[in-house]
Amino acid sequence: MKRADEQQALRALQAALAAEHAAVYGYGVVGGRVTEARRTEARAAYDAHRARRDALAREVRGLGTEPVAASAAYALPFAVPDSPAAVRLAAELEDRVAGVYSDLVRATTGARRREAAGALREAAVRAVRWRGGSVAFPGLAERTGADTGVAGPSEAPPVSGPARPTV
């Protein structure tokens, strides 16, 4: 891999890690607001995002770079006072994670690309379960024909700057 390609892949890995940090935080909110009937689903998603986060951190360290750290808190995209809002937040989290993994698929090759595609697929499936429906191209908001509010490639969750990055 060329040096520029390696840097692009590392940036995409770090963005995926930042998105996983935000998803773990967001699912803490979701788990506290969803009904008992959906709590197991929220816990499974939380655990999946923690596992992905930990794997990405190991991968970044393996490349000789310090992984981006989680923020102490994240600004939620909207108020989450009840279970319906928590379900919307879970779908939004999965959409955002899918978008970042879409970028990682574009930026990598081989096993890393396969892993990113698997993570994209898992996020898309969880989003469908939370939302009750799917979008045409999970992770690619620009191809759905609708503005989903999903962060694009240059809008990954901030790693530094504001004390409270957006989830």
Side-chain angles (χ1 to χ4, degrees):
M1 200 183 297
K2 298 177 197 164
R3 184 77 178 136
D5 291 343
E6 291 170 355
Q7 288 301 315
Q8 181 181 6
L10 181 58
R11 280 192 303 275
L13 280 168
Q14 292 279 39
L17 177 55
E20 291 292 5
H21 284 312
V24 167
Y25 178 91
Y27 269 103
V29 174
V30 170
R33 301 285 195 295
V34 293
T35 61
E36 188 65 38
R38 299 211 71 180
R39 198 154 292 141
T40 300
E41 186 178 0
R43 180 61 187 201
Y46 174 80
D47 290 341
H49 286 292
R50 282 186 31 214
R52 288 260 181 220
R53 176 202 64 194
D54 295 346
L56 286 166
R58 283 190 302 275
E59 189 169 358
V60 169
R61 274 191 209 94
L63 294 172
T65 302
E66 187 65 27
V68 295
S71 295
Y74 294 83
L76 299 175
F78 49 83
V80 185
D82 53 23
S83 184
V87 169
R88 282 194 321 276
L89 177 60
E92 176 75 13
L93 292 170
E94 297 300 345
D95 284 341
R96 290 180 182 209
V97 167
V100 174
Y101 278 113
S102 173
D103 294 340
L104 187 56
V105 167
R106 279 193 298 265
T108 58
T109 60
R112 191 173 287 147
R113 176 179 271 177
R114 282 189 298 279
E115 187 66 26
L120 168 58
R121 182 186 64 248
E122 290 170 11
V125 168
R126 281 190 299 265
V128 167
R129 287 184 181 143
W130 285 113
R131 185 180 295 106
S134 66
V135 296
F137 296 96
L140 298 174
E142 66 273 14
R143 297 202 182 163
T144 64
D147 179 13
T148 63
V150 177
S154 63
E155 301 176 61
V159 195
S160 62
R164 296 177 53 116
T166 302
V167 171

